[in-house]
């Protein structure tokens, strides 16, 4: 029943977004985000606790303000992702800063590339923007509500960007994509019960190891992406120079070294714009 | 390489699989015709195995060749090609 209600709520929200001009739709979605912040008190409590634990707010009042602004931001992210063609087709809307070594990987059709990010800014827009160079496969966990998941998939602009499931029964799936010269896009800031314990804002957090292992095993180049909103429907996409971790023979140590670097890049982005991060996820569970 | 060489590689490979695997199973029963998929590895867990295989045998496998393998015997054959 809950899934049914969620589905129709999502459909109504999409209908209203379709009927409004983009700027108004973005404001409307931001308002819906604030409404969600007010209504979902368990998630709100998690978000405030996370902001305080990360040390990006001095006190609870500031943490509450950041959490509310972040909820508004997430509402806007949904609209921007659905109307991404308007942003991607306008060169003034995305200012990209791509180092030369990463650019060389993007323009080489034979070269696979691992692009890592977190639930910061508009991460999905980053993937869609990069698909102008080569196909991009975003690894994701399907939503808990299959109806909403199908709806979201049907509304995602296609271009060269597609989502693929995190757990694939074909063991060679990710290796094959990289071997075919595609971009594999991953997010590393969700709790992973079988992940590695790596500090995130100084506290141990179970972190997905896939990006690190792919870099070590496929020897595919690795970069971290940040796509921050600088104005309504306008973004700055920054990729780091290639991250390289030589293999030492100690798998756990190699993985941890890479994940520490990735987390450090994400922390840097969050400290700069804490109101563009998804704080409602239970990141620290120990 | 002769049959005893392949047999030795298979034995060492079994040990790596046993140490890398998340699931419990009868690793001594793993035969050349056993498929990788049937061993319970998916697109994520296989990466741990490949790292450990490369370290054990001192080789750097080409991912494009690895994805073509479907059975344990094919991995043994690949390791033989790399001079393991």
């Amino acid at each position: 029943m809950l899934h049914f209600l969620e589905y129709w709520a999502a459909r109504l929200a999409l209908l209203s977004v379709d009927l409004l001009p983009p700027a108004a739709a973005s404001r409307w979605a931001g308002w819906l985000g604030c409404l969600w912040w007010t209504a979902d008190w368990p998630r709100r409590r998690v978000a405030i606790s996370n902001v305080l634990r990360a040390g990006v707010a001095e006190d609870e009042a500031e943490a509450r303000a950041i959490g509310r602004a972040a909820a508004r931001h997430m509402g806007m992210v949904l609209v921007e992702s659905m109307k991404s063609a308007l942003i991607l087709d306008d060169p003034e809307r995305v200012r990209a800063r791509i180092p030369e070594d990463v650019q060389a990987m993007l323009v080489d059709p034979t070269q696979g590339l691992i692009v890592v990010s977190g639930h910061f800014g508009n991460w999905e827009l980053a993937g869609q923007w990069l698909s102008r160079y080569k196909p991009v496969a975003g690894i994701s966990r399907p939503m808990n509500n299959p109806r909403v998941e199908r709806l979201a998939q049907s509304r995602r602009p296609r271009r060269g960007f597609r989502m693929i499931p995190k757990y694939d029964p074909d063991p060679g799936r990710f290796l094959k994509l990289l071997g075919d010269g595609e971009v594999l896009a991953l997010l590393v800031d969700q709790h992973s019960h079988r992940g590695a314990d790596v500090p995130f804002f100084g506290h141990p957090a179970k972190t997905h190891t896939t990006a690190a292992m792919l870099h070590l095993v496929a020897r595919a180049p690795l970069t971290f992406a940040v796509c921050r909103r600088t104005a309504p429907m306008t973004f700055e996409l920054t990729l780091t120079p290639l991250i390289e971790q030589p293999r030492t023979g100690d798998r756990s140590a190699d993985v941890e070294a890479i994940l520490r670097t990735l987390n450090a890049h994400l922390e840097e982005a969050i400290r700069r714009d804490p109101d563009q991060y998804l704080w409602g996820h239970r990141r620290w569970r120990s | 390489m002769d049959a005893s060489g392949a047999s030795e590689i298979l034995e060492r490979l079994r040990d790596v699989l046993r140490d890398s695997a998340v699931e419990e199973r009868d690793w001594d029963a793993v035969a050349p015709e056993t498929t990788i998929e049937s061993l319970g590895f998916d697109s994520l867990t296989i990466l741990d195995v490949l790292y450990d295989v490369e370290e054990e045998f001192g080789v750097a496998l080409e991912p494009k060749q690895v994805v073509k393998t479907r059975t344990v015997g094919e991995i043994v054959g690949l390791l033989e090609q790399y001079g393991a």
Side-chain angles (χ1 to χ4, degrees):
Chain A
M1 184 62 181
L2 179 62
H3 282 186
F4 181 79
L5 291 174
E6 283 176 353
Y7 171 75
W8 280 104
R11 286 215 67 148
L12 283 172
L14 288 176
L15 180 66
S16 60
V17 165
D18 284 341
L19 294 174
L20 292 169
S26 182
R27 282 197 300 274
W28 163 242
W31 183 83
L32 284 179
C34 291
L35 189 67
W36 169 78
W37 170 258
T38 304
D40 190 350
W41 65 266
R43 193 70 67 183
R44 188 170 70 230
R45 200 169 56 184
V46 169
I48 292 170
S49 167
N50 282 348
V51 173
L52 289 170
R53 198 166 188 185
V56 297
E58 292 286 322
D59 52 35
E60 184 160 335
E62 189 184 357
R64 190 176 290 272
I66 288 172
R68 184 181 169 83
R72 177 173 172 272
H73 163 79
M74 289 303 153
M76 295 164 75
V77 164
L78 288 177
V79 171
E80 290 156 356
S81 297
M82 284 188 295
K83 294 187 175 286
S84 60
L86 295 172
I87 299 169
L88 298 170
D89 290 343
D90 183 349
E92 299 297 314
R93 294 283 183 189
V94 180
R95 179 177 165 231
R97 294 165 27 160
I98 302 177
E100 279 181 20
D101 56 355
V102 177
Q103 181 76 22
M105 300 295 121
L106 286 169
V107 298
D108 181 349
T110 67
Q111 181 62 62
L113 177 66
I114 307 164
V115 178
V116 176
S117 191
H119 290 81
F120 176 87
N122 194 325
W123 59 93
E124 194 167 304
L125 201 66
Q128 292 186 29
W129 191 90
L130 289 170
S131 71
R132 68 185 52 205
Y133 290 99
K134 53 175 67 184
V136 176
I139 300 177
S140 72
R141 183 179 74 83
M143 294 180 198
N144 293 332
N145 187 331
R147 283 169 171 263
V148 176
E149 170 68 19
R150 281 196 295 274
L151 182 64
Q153 289 290 352
S154 70
R155 293 297 301 258
R156 278 197 172 97
R158 290 292 178 246
R159 300 198 179 211
F161 180 81
R162 69 191 190 285
M163 303 298 287
I164 59 173
K166 185 167 62 176
Y167 297 108
D168 196 301
D170 176 1
R173 178 78 186 278
F174 300 154
L175 293 173
K176 185 171 186 309
L177 289 174
L178 289 170
D180 289 344
E182 296 196 21
V183 170
L184 211 50
L186 305 94
L187 303 174
V188 285
D189 59 339
Q190 297 273 288
H191 174 81
S192 167
H193 67 277
R194 65 184 188 195
D197 266 321
V198 181
F200 184 53
F201 284 106
H203 306 285
K206 288 280 187 189
T207 307
H208 284 287
T209 60
T210 314
M213 285 306 300
L214 281 169
H215 174 63
L216 293 168
V217 171
R219 296 167 186 82
L222 170 70
T223 180
F224 191 88
V226 170
C227 186
R228 59 185 284 266
R229 185 186 297 110
T230 54
M233 310 282 278
T234 306
F235 296 86
E236 179 184 74
L237 172 60
T238 306
L239 274 67
T240 66
L242 294 178
I243 298 163
E244 291 181 30
Q245 170 63 36
R247 282 169 58 146
T248 65
D250 183 336
R251 169 155 58 90
S252 297
D254 292 349
V255 166
E256 183 177 333
I258 295 170
L259 296 182
R260 278 177 179 269
T261 302
L262 298 174
N263 276 357
H265 284 302
L266 180 56
E267 288 173 20
E268 185 183 344
I270 295 170
R271 283 198 180 91
R272 179 175 178 175
D273 297 289
D275 56 350
Q276 293 195 28
Y277 188 59
L278 180 70
W279 289 106
H281 173 68
R282 287 177 57 229
R283 187 69 186 91
W284 296 284
R285 301 190 187 185
S286 52
Chain B
M1 184 173 282
D2 58 22
S4 64
S7 176
E8 186 196 325
I9 291 175
L10 176 61
E11 197 57 40
R12 288 167 67 192
L13 185 57
R14 279 200 196 104
D15 289 340
V16 174
L17 294 171
R18 184 181 289 115
D19 293 342
S20 305
V22 178
E23 295 178 18
E24 285 291 323
R25 64 177 61 237
D26 181 7
W27 294 103
D28 292 332
V30 170
E33 60 273 16
T34 307
T35 62
I36 310 295
E37 204 174 324
S38 71
L39 295 175
F41 297 113
D42 59 27
S43 51
L44 303 187
T45 51
I46 196 69
L47 299 173
D48 293 348
V49 176
L50 288 174
Y51 184 104
D52 293 345
V53 166
E54 290 185 339
E55 291 302 322
E56 167 65 23
F57 291 95
V59 297
L61 300 173
E62 174 59 46
K64 279 188 175 177
Q65 289 180 297
V66 172
V67 297
K68 288 177 185 165
T69 59
R70 288 287 173 269
T71 65
V72 170
E74 287 172 8
I75 293 184
V76 170
L78 190 60
L79 288 168
E80 283 182 298
Q81 282 179 36
Y82 277 77

